[in-house]
Amino acid sequence: MVGKHQSEWTAEDKKKEDLDNVAKDILYKTLDKNMFNKIKTCSTAKEIWENLTQLCEGIDQTKENKLTVAIQKFDNFKMKHGKTLSEFDECFSCIIIELILLGKEFSNREFALKVVRALPKEWDVKTVAMREPKDLNKLASWPFR
């Protein structure tokens, strides 16, 4: 359709234009005013999508920075004093999901080791028992796989 006047469009060109308009309409309806202002000059749904992807996910350097921060969160994660096991699990799950969404992969064994290491001193008796190779392999059936 590029370079064609509207009067020269074929039925296929018109169909593509209609689909593009539907896609743009869907995208416009899902955006808040701030995001809409950032993409309102885009002429096609594809262009809108590419701009939104860059705005939301960031360029490769931004993605790399997000991954670095998420890995640091994972490495430094510890169960805080006074927190319940449910709260610990919820925080840990959020970090794991963030890492997975950023493309970082860990084995179930790595997840299990991290959990054991992140527990406080009061859990030492239990973690020693869990560190036995046979028990750690049982723990490695983490639900994020």
Side-chain angles (χ1 to χ4, degrees):
M1 293 180 345
V2 175
K4 282 186 183 179
H5 188 272
Q6 197 169 358
S7 62
E8 300 172 340
W9 286 2
T10 64
E12 184 67 25
D13 292 336
K14 290 177 184 176
K15 183 177 178 182
K16 286 179 182 178
E17 180 67 16
D18 288 343
L19 289 173
D20 190 66
N21 286 332
V22 169
K24 286 191 298 190
D25 186 54
I26 291 168
L27 290 167
Y28 290 153
K29 287 179 179 178
T30 60
L31 300 174
D32 62 23
K33 188 176 181 179
N34 183 41
M35 288 300 276
F36 176 77
N37 286 331
K38 293 178 181 180
I39 57 91
K40 67 183 176 186
T41 59
C42 297
S43 57
T44 65
K46 182 180 182 201
E47 190 179 347
I48 292 169
W49 186 258
E50 288 169 350
N51 282 323
L52 288 172
T53 301
Q54 188 168 359
L55 287 167
C56 296
E57 292 181 7
I59 56 176
D60 289 338
Q61 183 63 42
T62 305
K63 289 179 190 177
E64 190 64 34
N65 290 341
K66 287 180 182 179
L67 180 58
T68 300
V69 170
I71 290 171
Q72 286 174 341
K73 279 192 227 175
F74 178 82
D75 290 342
N76 297 328
F77 185 73
K78 296 278 186 197
M79 183 174 182
K80 293 183 175 121
H81 182 70
K83 295 288 182 181
T84 66
L85 194 54
S86 293
E87 292 168 327
F88 168 82
D89 180 56
E90 186 178 326
C91 291
F92 187 69
S93 295
C94 288
I95 292 170
I96 298 306
I97 290 167
E98 182 179 1
L99 286 165
I100 290 169
L101 290 175
L102 290 168
K104 180 69 176 166
E105 294 193 20
F106 291 95
S107 69
N108 289 337
R109 182 174 171 78
E110 288 173 295
F111 288 144
L113 283 169
K114 181 60 185 170
V115 167
V116 169
R117 291 180 185 140
L119 294 170
K121 291 277 183 207
E122 301 88 58
W123 288 72
D124 277 353
V125 173
K126 294 176 184 176
T127 59
V128 167
M130 286 188 280
R131 288 177 200 238
E132 291 293 318
K134 60 183 169 85
D135 291 335
L136 194 55
N137 288 330
K138 288 178 188 175
L139 286 176
S141 59
W142 197 256
F144 295 108
R145 289 292 183 184

